[in-house]
């Protein structure tokens, strides 16, 4: 099995500074640059063959994305270009979940409802845990580091369980979660946050092959599909 981990394109929150952090959105859209990056990614996967892969579209057979708006938007031009139906995988959402800080208070939000997602993304395959009330448990508020690690381990275990297959998976997720997911895949959890980090630029691609159920990192944070002036952290 082969897995491609992909970070979403630049979001409205990605461009905030310390001075504008008060403008942070719970579920932001993409920036103008972000929409361009997503299209560059789509064109790349449509027209490029990966190293050592004798198949178009990197040989991808299954395409998954987070339920967060920026991941849904990033996936749209890509799956249209390669002719695939994306499936939402709720556990791919960003560390911390759906929350906003208001002073000393942290408020949780439920995320886009099933109807709202299908209205904007009618071709997406939604699991049962995306409901008419949303997909995130707002009573949790901000997800803890421990809970995020546990979620990453769940995803890593799911990948390991199907690692003897010929599947080629693409997962569109988020910088913070991709960091802990890679640590989970390579048995590096639990760990202290930021003591060591696997960082991904916007729309960066990481390739992991499973050989005899063991993960092998082929490359990390690949952004050669983006012109230099279109790259962002």
């Amino acid at each position: 099995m082969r897995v491609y981990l992909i970070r979403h394109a630049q979001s409205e929150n990605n461009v905030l500074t310390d001075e504008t952090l008060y403008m942070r959105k719970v579920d932001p859209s993409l920036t103008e640059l972000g929409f361009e990056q997503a299209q560059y990614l789509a064109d790349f996967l449509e027209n490029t063959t990966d190293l050592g892969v004798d198949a178009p579209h990197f040989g991808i057979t299954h395409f998954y994305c987070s339920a967060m708006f920026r991941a849904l938007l990033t996936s749209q031009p890509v799956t249209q270009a390669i002719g695939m139906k994306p499936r939402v995988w709720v556990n791919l959402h960003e560390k911390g979940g759906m929350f906003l800080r208001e002073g000393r208070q942290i408020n949780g939000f439920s995320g886009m409802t099933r109807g709202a997602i299908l209205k904007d993304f009618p071709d997406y395959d939604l699991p049962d845990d995306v409901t008419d009330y949303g997909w995130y448990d707002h009573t949790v508020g901000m997800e803890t580091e421990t809970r995020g690690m546990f979620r990453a381990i769940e995803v890593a275990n799911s990948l390991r369980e199907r690692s003897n297959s010929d599947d080629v998976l693409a997962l569109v997720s988020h910088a913070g979660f991709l960091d802990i997911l890679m640590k989970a895949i390579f048995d590096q959890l639990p760990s202290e946050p930021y003591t060591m980090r696997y960082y991904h630029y916007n729309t960066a691609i990481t390739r992991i092959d499973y050989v005899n159920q063991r993960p092998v990192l082929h490359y990390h944070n690949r952004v050669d599909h983006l012109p230099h002036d279109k790259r962002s952290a």
Side-chain angles (χ1 to χ4, degrees):
M1 187 179 77
R2 189 163 69 252
V3 179
Y4 293 102
L5 305 178
I6 304 170
R7 185 188 174 193
H8 62 79
Q10 186 187 69
S11 78
E12 294 170 317
N13 284 353
N14 290 153
V15 298
L16 298 179
T17 64
D18 290 342
E19 290 73 27
T20 59
L21 197 56
Y22 69 92
M23 299 172 62
R24 179 184 179 274
K25 297 181 179 180
V26 176
D27 203 10
S29 181
L30 301 180
T31 63
E32 182 178 348
L33 173 60
F35 283 107
E36 290 183 57
Q37 291 171 336
Q39 190 59 55
Y40 276 112
L41 176 65
D43 294 342
F44 182 69
L45 292 180
E46 180 182 17
N47 300 309
T48 308
T49 301
D50 197 14
L51 297 173
V53 178
D54 186 20
H57 315 323
F58 280 38
I60 295 169
T61 61
H62 298 76
F63 197 101
Y64 299 92
C65 66
S66 155
M68 288 178 159
F69 193 39
R70 54 201 184 273
L72 297 171
L73 286 170
T74 301
S75 302
Q76 194 169 42
V78 177
T79 51
Q80 288 173 351
I82 65 177
M84 296 204 66
K85 183 174 184 177
R87 179 171 176 78
V88 168
W89 190 346
V90 167
N91 265 352
L92 297 180
H93 73 75
E94 179 60 298
K95 285 172 54 178
M98 299 289 291
F99 72 94
L100 276 182
R101 297 180 187 271
E102 297 180 344
R104 295 184 177 181
Q105 184 174 343
I106 297 178
N107 296 319
F109 296 82
S110 299
M112 293 179 71
T113 65
R114 188 177 191 89
I117 293 177
L118 290 176
K119 179 177 180 294
D120 290 342
F121 307 96
D123 297 330
Y124 284 40
D125 184 9
L126 304 185
D128 291 340
D129 46 358
V130 178
T131 73
D132 293 335
Y133 300 98
W135 54 267
Y136 184 74
D137 182 359
H138 71 278
T139 64
V140 171
M142 182 179 178
E143 177 188 57
T144 64
E145 287 284 344
T146 300
R147 191 179 184 125
M149 289 181 194
F150 179 77
R151 183 164 52 86
I153 291 169
E154 283 190 320
V155 173
N157 285 343
S158 295
L159 297 176
R160 189 175 295 114
E161 286 171 3
R162 60 193 293 183
S163 62
N164 280 331
S165 72
D166 294 326
D167 293 342
V168 180
L169 279 56
L171 278 57
V172 175
S173 187
H174 307 263
F177 186 70
L178 289 174
D179 167 48
I180 55 175
L181 177 57
M182 289 189 67
K183 291 172 181 173
I185 288 171
F186 292 103
D187 294 323
Q188 296 170 336
L189 289 181
S191 68
E192 290 295 323
Y194 304 114
T195 53
M196 188 278 283
R197 192 177 187 195
Y198 294 103
Y199 194 77
H200 288 79
Y201 290 163
N202 293 118
T203 69
I205 306 170
T206 288
R207 173 180 164 182
I208 298 171
D209 288 18
Y210 282 81
V211 180
N212 298 323
Q213 295 188 304
R214 293 175 180 262
V216 178
L217 180 62
H218 275 249
Y219 53 76
H220 170 245
N221 199 32
R222 180 179 180 181
V223 290
D224 52 311
H225 57 285
L226 296 176
H228 283 278
D229 63 342
K230 301 298 182 182
R231 298 176 185 180
S232 60

